[in-house]
Structures are given as structure tokens and as C-alpha cells.
Amino acid sequence: LEVLNGRLALEKERRAPEASRIRTQDLELLNNNLEWVNRLGSIVNASLDWNQIAHSLFDELKTRIPLDSFGIARCPGEQVTLEEYVRVEATGIATVPSRDCPRICTLVRQASSDRVPHQVQDNEGSLLAIPLILFDEVIAVMFAEKNRGERFDETHLSMLEAVAPVVAASFKNAESFTAL
């Protein structure tokens, strides 16, 4: 038993530097992600012009998530009647009629009514929709899109979910400012 305990102690001692290195890497990654979410908060709170916020957000999201377009769809009231949405691409910002992309509209409605993220991956690409919830109300849905090829993974979903509350508050502030 003493020999076995001695071997276990030696093995634990041998693995300690590796465990410490892994712990340090995990903490550095967590700190890096927290700094990024904080930077995103600063970006989305720097303006009350929603188009400017959306464009800045798209530019920053692209540094961490490979995406081709990003958008926000307003979801007023209990029933989602999506007539148009804001879509940001590398070429600029556009307000798009819902009839132009039923695929996005379907996913936005699902995310809004279910109050959880939804994802679709098909021949057209990968699309991820995250509900923006503020005071227990879905006020909008943000979506990220990749064209053919690459797919969103769990890391991308986690990053978008992490920034959703900040984006929701900024979206509501900009919307309230516009109403005033």
C-alpha cells in the first residue's frame, strides 16, 4: 500500500506542471473573452444610432466569428410580424423586406417565439438566430449568417449568447432615443 501511495504521489507530482499550464491557459482564455465582451459593450453603447451600432458590432464580431452578414430583426409584441430587418454586410447596411429572404424570417420567428437560439445549416449556408431578451420580453432577434462552406460551432453560439444581453439593452436604448 505504501509503494502504491508513493507511486500515486510521484504521478501526481509529475502531472502537476501540466495541470497548472492547462489551468493557466483556461484562465487566460476566459479573461480574453471577458475583455472582448466588455469591448463589445463599449462599442454598442457608444452611439444611439442603431445603424452605426449594428455596423460597429458587425466589424467587431467578424474579428472572432467568421460571418458574412449580421442582422437585427425587431419583434414587437407577442406575435412576430416581421416586415423588414436590418442586415449588415461588408458592403454596408440595408433594410431588407422580409419577402426577400424567407429563410431568415422563418428562423427569426422560431427564435422569437421559442425564446432560444435556433440554427439552420443547408445548401445556402449556416444561419444562427439569437433572441434579444430584455425584462423578460423578446425585443428583437439578432442573426449571423455564413455563406456556403463554413459552419457555426458551439463556440460561436456561446459568444453570440454572451453578447446578446448587452446588444438587447443597447438596441432598446437606441429604439427609445429614436422614439423620443
Side-chain angles (χ1 to χ4, degrees):
L1 192 56
E2 284 180 28
V3 170
L4 185 58
N5 280 338
R7 286 183 184 164
L8 287 174
L10 285 173
E11 183 64 22
K12 186 176 179 181
E13 189 176 310
R14 185 181 69 77
R15 291 184 180 186
E18 178 66 13
S20 177
R21 185 186 64 75
I22 290 170
R23 223 178 1 263
T24 300
Q25 283 178 335
D26 288 347
L27 288 173
E28 287 173 355
L29 179 62
L30 179 61
N31 187 48
N32 189 353
N33 287 340
L34 287 172
E35 286 175 359
W36 182 69
V37 170
N38 187 39
R39 188 170 58 248
L40 275 172
S42 297
I43 287 169
V44 298
N45 288 310
S47 173
L48 290 173
D49 175 355
W50 181 244
N51 286 338
Q52 184 179 351
I53 293 168
H55 198 275
S56 298
L57 187 57
F58 174 67
D59 287 343
E60 186 61 33
L61 287 173
K62 284 191 317 185
T63 66
R64 297 282 180 113
I65 301 170
L67 50 85
D68 294 307
S69 68
F70 165 80
I72 299 285
R74 285 187 171 89
C75 299
E78 290 295 315
Q79 285 201 319
V80 181
T81 54
L82 185 61
E83 294 174 12
E84 60 184 27
Y85 57 89
V86 174
R87 185 179 197 159
V88 185
E89 298 175 339
T91 56
I93 300 173
T95 301
V96 182
S98 62
R99 68 180 179 278
D100 288 355
C101 195
R103 181 173 170 257
I104 288 175
C105 295
T106 299
L107 202 65
V108 164
R109 285 186 183 100
Q110 287 175 334
S112 177
S113 64
D114 296 347
R115 304 170 64 90
V116 295
H118 278 272
Q119 183 171 9
V120 66
Q121 295 178 354
D122 57 23
N123 294 347
E124 294 182 46
S126 188
L127 182 63
L128 187 58
I130 311 279
L132 300 179
I133 301 171
L134 191 62
F135 303 118
D136 204 35
E137 175 188 355
V138 177
I139 60 168
V141 173
M142 74 176 169
F143 62 89
E145 187 174 26
K146 289 188 200 184
N147 297 333
R148 294 177 178 82
E150 293 186 57
R151 301 166 71 94
F152 290 114
D153 61 27
E154 287 299 316
T155 304
H156 302 138
L157 174 62
S158 296
M159 289 175 142
L160 289 171
E161 285 181 313
V163 301
V166 176
V167 174
S170 295
F171 183 80
K172 193 64 172 179
N173 284 344
E175 196 174 61
S176 297
F177 179 76
T178 301
L180 287 174

